[in-house]
Amino acid sequence: AMGLPQRVDSLTRALVVLGREKFYRWLSLLIFDFTDPTYQERALAEQSLARGRTLELLAGQGQVPNTPDALFLIGLFSLLDVAMGQPLPDLLAQANLPDVVRDTLMNRAGPHADALALVVLGEANATEASVEALTHALTQCGLDDHQFLAAYRQAIDWAHQLLGEVAA
């Protein structure tokens, strides 16, 4: 809001200044309870943030759609059911998310879902089956392992730093 001719003093004005997608992005961080998280809650928050950031960083590369805000939300909300302890369809029915985010999380189909599958597989313990699946996911997204690993490493560092700043 710095340098703007008008003050940001309402949600409506914030939506105008930030845009709907960016507003959702920052508002969505409120699903995590940062006041006194347990180890498991902190790990889940870090994993969700890293997923979102990885997808955001991959936006526009290879076959990954150039929709960084939507991809961030997809990654962040991909663990919403685990974080909230409720079925994902029930949670998504209550949330007013952009259509592409809701559809990707519900149907797990399309280029946004391919990118999410890549990130999820990239987190998995390396077994022969998961390495083969990861290779297929990289091909599906039109990426190589260096592109993915660079984005994933940067995202993990970002999420860890963000949570460290919140805890301080």
Side-chain angles (χ1 to χ4, degrees):
M2 294 177 63
L4 294 175
Q6 296 177 328
R7 290 181 46 184
V8 177
D9 55 3
S10 69
L11 289 178
T12 303
R13 183 73 183 139
L15 280 170
V16 170
V17 171
L18 291 174
R20 182 175 178 220
E21 298 296 324
K22 286 201 185 299
F23 183 74
Y24 271 125
R25 174 185 169 146
W26 293 110
L27 190 60
S28 64
L29 292 175
L30 296 176
I31 66 171
F32 300 107
D33 179 13
F34 292 116
T35 54
D36 191 22
T38 65
Y39 173 80
Q40 185 177 8
E41 291 168 338
R42 184 174 170 78
L44 183 62
E46 189 168 307
Q47 185 178 13
S48 297
L49 289 166
R51 279 186 183 184
R53 182 71 174 143
T54 301
L55 288 170
E56 178 185 43
L57 291 170
L58 292 173
Q61 296 184 47
Q63 300 301 315
V64 179
N66 194 13
T67 54
D69 291 329
L71 286 164
F72 180 85
L73 290 174
I74 289 166
L76 186 70
F77 286 118
S78 66
L79 291 167
L80 184 63
D81 54 339
V82 178
M84 303 299 284
Q86 296 178 32
L88 189 58
D90 294 349
L91 293 167
L92 294 178
Q94 298 172 36
N96 187 17
L97 293 171
D99 290 342
V100 69
V101 175
R102 186 179 51 260
D103 293 345
T104 299
L105 292 172
M106 289 297 296
N107 303 323
R108 301 287 172 134
H112 289 86
D114 291 342
L116 176 59
L118 171 61
V119 172
V120 171
L121 286 166
E123 297 170 344
N125 294 327
T127 64
E128 190 173 321
S130 66
V131 170
E132 186 176 313
L134 180 60
T135 301
H136 176 73
L138 284 165
T139 302
Q140 194 77 7
C141 290
L143 300 171
D144 63 42
D145 57 340
H146 298 291
Q147 288 171 292
F148 173 72
L149 288 173
Y152 187 69
R153 247 190 329 266
Q154 185 178 345
I156 290 288
D157 290 344
W158 176 83
H160 186 72
Q161 181 180 1
L162 179 67
L163 290 174
E165 289 172 1
V166 170

